[in-house]
């Protein structure tokens, strides 16, 4: 059963009508092709209309849509199953909220890393809601170093409500683990492409988010804090999350406009969750396109480019001398 | 009614009604003359407290001090030159919550006489050159926005150009929310700049003071060639309140304090403020380029 957000109600209605028509056809052998065709057209138009004009808060909702594809689904499809998941940080344990492994895209080996959310209640707990512990960031770093050794490009999929704020996470140095990745990813000799496929919350996202190309899918968000937490801190109540979402300028369009990311990946009509297979294909094409360009550059040029790009971020006034 | 209850009731009975002390005889502690330690409640004259480097003589509580205080404590003869001191925050997002961000910045500048949450200065320490970026908690919780990132970046450039070691004194609640993703990217920016310092083989000394949390901990504060702190400083990624809510239990004694981080392997040592300058001189001498 598909899930629908409140503003997707018109979409739900049409899909229901479509299903009813199909059932009718099966039962009574009546030809309903004209009806279904009309409904499909209407569905397409409704999706286009709704998705053309989403508010920042609605985009946040889409980024968390329960039917939205997660990291491993992208990897499985993009590699056509030619993928070996690799586990563990070689120190503490294997973090289930951070996955990674080696796979191929059209014959080219690629190291994948990314946060993984669960598809049902049980799996959500198993994946710790996509909130990695320090060992997750250290596993990601281990895999990136491995990729560097064998000159394999890195692709990271970002989808997290934040790094896990637990007691053990603090004991094992959550701050240090993220910080280390920022520095190591800056100087990693192989190409890195980072794609925000869902939620890009703060340091937990940035911890695997330093790359030659940082791209956001259309209906995702990336910021220093979630709109809910921002609302509760600045307005002292959770009720202003819509206002906070707008104020944070966290959508892909805003982020691109502020030059804090390198590009936006367009999603299928009605969002990635409406047509996952199409979304996988779009992302695959984008990765190939970017990699083809990035592998041409020499390592030093890529690293210097990264340093320059991030160093230029920020807006200050020089003030009077 | 028992005798006990009668006796206890007497505690709350006034013998004479009203306040009887005339106003002119009222005893007040004049503002600024005395320091009351928030940790052990002992009271000492403010001058003595300053002479003791804002550290409580009774319980060794290290009071939070400003960037300027640290510059005077560390640099030889309290002599230092500040760079980029007029940098102020832009407002790229036109951010507004209950207040406009620009108004908040101006009000804080007026109140604190500071431009932003970080100051950068260089001078000599035991006759060795040193660049220091020090944070001011008084400025919007020492939060890191574009100015903090840019000042650190430029201080690193200066260190590389003039071949001198670099120190950051962290004191921050984390990223500055009102600059949203711009503040998040300061974590990336400062870390990227530190790779250049590393490439120049210049020491980066990270001194973490109370409190150092959030995005600052998850970037430059934890990336020192050496990480060290003052006693009992709060250091963590998530704040203690958030961790407590997450685990639904009380936190163990001393959780996220310097001693806890030293024990778990994230600090090289803890240094008391009175020994800070000597320690810095020693470090600079030992890590001097051969």
């Amino acid at each position: 059963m598909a899930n629908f957000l409140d503003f997707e109600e018109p979409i739900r209605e049409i899909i229901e009508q479509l299903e009813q028509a199909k059932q009718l056809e099966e039962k009574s052998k009546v030809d309903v092709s004209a009806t279904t065709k009309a409904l499909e057209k209407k569905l397409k138009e409704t999706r286009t209309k709704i998705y053309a004009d989403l508010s920042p808060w609605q985009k946040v909702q889409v980024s968390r849509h329960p039917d939205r594809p997660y990291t491993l689904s992208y990897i499985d499809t993009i590699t056509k199953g030619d993928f070996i998941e690799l586990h563990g940080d070689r120190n503490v344990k294997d973090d289930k909220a951070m996955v990674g492994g080696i796979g191929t895209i059209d014959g080219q080996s690629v190291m994948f890393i990314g946060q993984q959310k669960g598809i049902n209640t049980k799996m959500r707990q198993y994946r710790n809601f996509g909130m990695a512990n320090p060992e997750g960031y250290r596993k990601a770093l281990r895999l990136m170093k491995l990729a560097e050794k064998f000159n394999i490009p890195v692709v990271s999929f970002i989808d997290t409500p934040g790094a896990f704020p637990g007691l053990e996470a603090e004991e094992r140095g959550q701050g240090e683990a993220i910080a280390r990745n920022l520095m190591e990813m800056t100087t990693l000799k192989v190409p890195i492409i980072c794609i925000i496929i869902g939620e890009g919350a703060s340091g937990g996202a940035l911890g695997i988010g330093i790359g030659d190309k940082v791209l956001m899918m259309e209906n995702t968000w990336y910021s220093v804090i979630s709109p809910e937490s921002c609302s509760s801190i600045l307005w002292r109540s959770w009720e202003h999350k819509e206002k906070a979402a707008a104020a944070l300028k966290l959508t892909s369009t805003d982020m691109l406009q502020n030059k804090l990311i390198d590009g936006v990946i367009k999603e299928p009509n009605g969002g990635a969750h409406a047509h996952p297979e199409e979304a996988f294909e779009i992302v695959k094409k984008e990765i190939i396109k970017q990699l083809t360009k990035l592998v041409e550059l020499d390592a030093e040029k890529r690293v210097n480019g990264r340093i320059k790009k991030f160093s230029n971020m920020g807006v200050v006034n020089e003030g009077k001398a | 009614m028992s005798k006990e209850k009668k006796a206890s009731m007497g505690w709350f009975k006034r013998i004479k009604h009203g306040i009887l002390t005339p106003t002119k005889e009222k005893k007040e502690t004049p503002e600024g003359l005395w320091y009351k330690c928030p940790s052990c409640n002992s009271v000492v004259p403010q001058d003595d407290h300053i002479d003791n480097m804002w550290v409580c003589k009774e319980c060794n509580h290290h009071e939070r001090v400003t960037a300027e205080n640290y510059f005077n404590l560390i640099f030889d003869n309290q002599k230092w030159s500040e760079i980029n001191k007029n940098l102020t925050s832009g407002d790229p997002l036109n951010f507004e919550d209950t207040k406009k961000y620009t108004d908040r910045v101006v009000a804080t500048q007026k109140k604190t006489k500071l431009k932003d949450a970080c100051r950068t200065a260089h001078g000599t320490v035991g006759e060795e050159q040193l660049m220091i970026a020090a944070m001011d908690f008084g400025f919007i919780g020492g939060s890191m926005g574009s100015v903090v990132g840019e000042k650190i970046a430029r201080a690193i450039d200066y260190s590389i150009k003039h071949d001198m070691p670099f120190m950051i004194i962290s004191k921050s609640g984390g990223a500055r929310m009102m600059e949203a993703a711009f503040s998040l990217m300061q974590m990336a920016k400062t870390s990227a700049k530190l790779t250049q310092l590393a490439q120049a083989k210049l020491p980066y000394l990270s001194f973490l003071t109370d409190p150092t949390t959030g995005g600052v901990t998850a970037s430059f504060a934890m990336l020192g060639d050496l990480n060290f702190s003052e006693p009992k400083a709060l250091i963590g990624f998530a704040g203690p309140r958030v961790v407590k809510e997450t685990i639904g239990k009380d936190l163990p004694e001393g959780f996220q304090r310097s001693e806890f981080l030293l024990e778990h392997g994230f600090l090289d040592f803890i240094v008391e403020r009175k020994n800070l300058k000597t320690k810095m001189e020693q470090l600079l001498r030992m890590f001097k380029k051969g």
Side-chain angles (χ1 to χ4, degrees):
Chain A
M1 216 20 215
N3 296 281
F4 296 93
L5 301 166
D6 49 0
F7 58 84
E8 288 183 311
E9 190 54 29
I11 297 172
R12 190 187 64 82
E13 279 168 16
I14 302 170
I15 289 178
E16 263 179 16
Q17 286 167 17
L18 256 170
E19 274 164 11
Q20 279 164 4
K22 276 176 193 159
Q23 277 172 11
L24 186 74
E25 187 171 36
E26 269 171 36
K27 265 193 217 154
S28 55
K29 310 282 177 211
V30 182
D31 182 19
V32 290
S33 60
T35 322
T36 48
K37 216 172 169 189
L39 280 171
E40 267 160 10
K41 190 169 170 253
K42 195 175 162 198
L43 176 64
K44 202 175 162 191
E45 285 165 2
T46 311
R47 273 185 169 143
T48 310
K49 192 165 164 265
I50 291 175
Y51 271 77
D53 199 22
L54 293 181
S55 71
W57 171 246
Q58 285 172 331
K59 285 195 180 174
V60 172
Q61 288 176 287
V62 177
S63 78
R64 300 168 178 165
H65 198 293
D67 298 335
R68 209 176 158 82
Y70 299 139
T71 296
L72 282 174
S73 310
Y74 278 96
I75 297 175
D76 279 340
T77 317
I78 287 170
T79 61
K80 296 194 180 116
D82 190 25
F83 170 70
I84 302 168
E85 188 174 349
L86 304 170
H87 296 274
D89 72 335
R90 299 294 186 269
N91 265 303
V92 179
K93 60 162 75 157
D94 182 48
D95 193 331
K96 307 293 189 286
M98 182 78 79
V99 296
I102 188 164
T104 60
I105 304 180
D106 293 350
Q108 157 81 55
S109 292
V110 172
M111 186 64 81
F112 292 97
I113 54 172
Q115 290 100 352
Q116 177 68 27
K117 290 180 175 175
I119 49 168
N120 53 38
T121 309
K122 200 178 155 194
M123 289 306 284
R124 275 190 274 277
Q125 273 177 355
Y126 177 75
R127 296 293 183 188
N128 200 28
F129 305 90
M131 294 186 283
N133 272 284
E135 48 273 22
Y137 293 98
R138 290 179 184 133
K139 166 159 96 176
L141 180 57
R142 179 176 81 86
L143 299 186
M144 289 189 274
K145 286 290 195 186
L146 187 64
E148 184 178 46
K149 183 174 174 183
F150 297 104
N151 199 25
I152 295 166
V154 173
V155 172
S156 86
F157 290 115
I158 295 166
D159 189 9
T160 180
F164 189 59
L167 187 130
E168 286 86 4
E170 292 293 318
E171 278 181 347
R172 295 198 284 267
Q174 188 71 285
E176 196 275 346
I178 293 171
R180 186 67 50 204
N181 281 12
L182 304 185
M183 215 168 161
E184 294 287 348
M185 289 180 87
T186 303
T187 52
L188 204 78
K189 292 193 182 73
V190 291
I192 308 175
I193 298 172
C194 309
I195 305 174
I196 291 109
I197 58 167
E199 298 189 88
S202 200
L206 192 66
I208 54 164
I210 307 295
D212 303 297
K213 292 287 166 197
V214 180
L215 310 167
M216 283 175 79
M217 295 195 64
E218 198 181 348
N219 301 309
T220 61
W221 69 275
Y222 193 11
S223 196
V224 76
I225 191 166
S226 74
E228 291 95 327
S229 304
C230 178
S231 163
S232 82
I233 293 170
L234 293 181
W235 282 272
R236 313 216 171 265
S237 136
W238 290 68
E239 316 237 310
H240 300 271
K241 52 187 189 292
E242 277 119 344
K243 240 192 277 176
L248 287 167
K249 306 275 188 334
L250 43 60
T251 66
S252 55
T253 13
D254 284 328
M255 288 293 283
L256 185 65
Q257 203 176 353
N258 287 323
K259 298 195 178 74
L260 298 174
I261 55 164
D262 301 300
V264 176
I265 302 175
K266 206 145 168 50
E267 290 188 22
N269 187 22
H273 60 284
H275 304 285
E277 294 297 329
E278 227 177 286
F280 300 145
E281 197 51 39
I282 296 171
V283 168
K284 180 182 172 175
K285 274 194 187 136
E286 185 68 30
I287 293 173
I288 294 170
K289 185 180 117 191
Q290 298 293 352
L291 274 186
T292 318
K293 281 187 273 181
L294 286 172
V295 292
E296 290 297 315
L297 305 172
D298 58 62
E300 203 186 317
K301 209 163 183 179
R302 277 194 303 260
V303 169
N304 288 337
R306 267 175 234 156
I307 295 175
K308 204 172 158 201
K309 178 173 76 179
F310 286 102
S311 298
N312 282 336
M313 291 180 184
V315 177
V316 297
N317 299 323
E318 290 292 331
K320 278 166 269 169
Chain B
M1 194 179 279
S2 72
K3 268 184 195 168
E4 223 177 271
K5 195 157 187 194
K6 254 186 197 166
S8 72
M9 280 174 78
W11 283 103
F12 303 104
K13 259 192 182 159
R14 270 180 189 274
I15 300 165
K16 289 175 185 171
H17 288 278
I19 296 164
L20 301 171
T21 319
T23 313
K24 60 175 181 178
E25 281 174 34
K26 226 169 73 180
K27 288 186 185 100
E28 265 182 0
T29 38
E31 193 89 2
L33 270 183
W34 297 90
Y35 170 75
K36 188 179 174 190
C37 174
S39 178
C40 72
N41 289 328
S42 68
V43 176
V44 290
Q46 185 71 30
D47 288 348
D48 290 5
H49 183 56
I50 294 170
D51 283 347
N52 205 41
M53 302 174 177
W54 300 272
V55 174
C56 175
K57 273 183 184 159
E58 295 299 319
C59 71
N60 203 30
H61 171 72
H62 282 54
E63 196 195 349
R64 289 174 187 169
V65 297
T66 63
E68 185 168 341
N69 293 149
Y70 279 116
F71 292 155
N72 287 329
L73 284 171
I74 295 170
F75 287 120
D76 296 343
N77 309 313
Q78 309 195 349
K79 273 169 76 179
W80 39 276
S81 319
E82 188 169 358
I83 61 166
N84 298 311
K85 63 180 187 190
N86 292 312
L87 283 195
T88 56
S89 186
D91 180 21
L93 304 176
N94 290 313
F95 197 91
E96 188 172 352
D97 48 88
T98 50
K99 229 188 206 176
K100 272 189 176 166
Y101 175 47
T102 41
D103 292 347
R104 199 184 284 272
V105 166
V106 171
T108 312
Q109 284 171 338
K110 247 188 199 158
K111 197 179 83 189
T112 59
K113 309 263 183 294
L114 297 165
K115 299 279 188 191
D116 208 285
C118 176
R119 295 176 74 179
T120 48
H122 59 91
T124 60
V125 180
E127 292 172 12
E128 297 295 336
Q129 291 285 331
L130 178 69
M131 166 64 77
I132 304 180
M135 304 186 78
D136 274 301
F137 193 72
F139 200 98
I140 318 185
S143 55
M144 168 164 64
S146 299
V147 174
V148 173
E150 184 64 19
K151 279 202 179 181
I152 289 175
R154 291 189 194 184
I156 289 171
D157 286 339
Y158 192 97
S159 289
I160 294 171
K161 192 172 168 199
H162 299 274
D163 202 31
M164 60 174 79
F166 180 53
M167 176 190 201
I168 298 182
I169 304 177
S170 296
K171 186 184 280 297
S172 169
R176 187 172 298 168
M177 232 179 302
M178 298 75 120
E179 291 187 35
F182 279 96
S183 69
L184 178 67
M185 293 308 160
Q186 302 312 306
M187 294 169 65
K189 175 172 177 168
T190 49
S191 306
K193 291 301 289 186
L194 284 172
T195 66
Q196 292 183 318
L197 192 76
Q199 195 159 30
K201 302 248 180 282
L202 289 165
Y204 164 40
L205 307 168
S206 176
F207 184 45
L208 298 84
T209 68
D210 184 64
T212 299
T213 59
V216 168
T217 303
S219 60
F220 56 79
M222 275 292 160
L223 292 172
D225 290 312
L226 305 184
N227 299 334
F228 50 101
S229 85
E230 286 185 344
K232 292 194 179 150
L234 175 76
I235 302 164
F237 173 64
R241 200 171 44 87
V242 177
V243 179
K244 196 181 157 184
E245 278 167 20
T246 306
I247 63 169
K249 281 190 285 206
D250 282 334
L251 300 169
E253 178 80 23
F255 180 66
Q256 293 183 317
R257 296 285 163 182
S258 313
E259 296 72 15
F260 175 92
L261 273 95
L262 182 70
E263 197 52 39
H264 284 89
F266 293 98
L267 294 178
D268 289 284
F269 53 83
I270 294 168
V271 58
E272 293 195 20
R273 202 172 285 160
K274 63 173 187 233
N275 300 324
L276 179 60
K277 181 169 171 56
T278 326
K279 190 69 102 182
M280 288 305 299
E281 288 175 4
Q282 202 181 3
L283 287 172
L284 293 176
R285 177 164 50 79
M286 288 175 170
F287 279 98
K288 196 175 173 174
K289 270 189 182 172

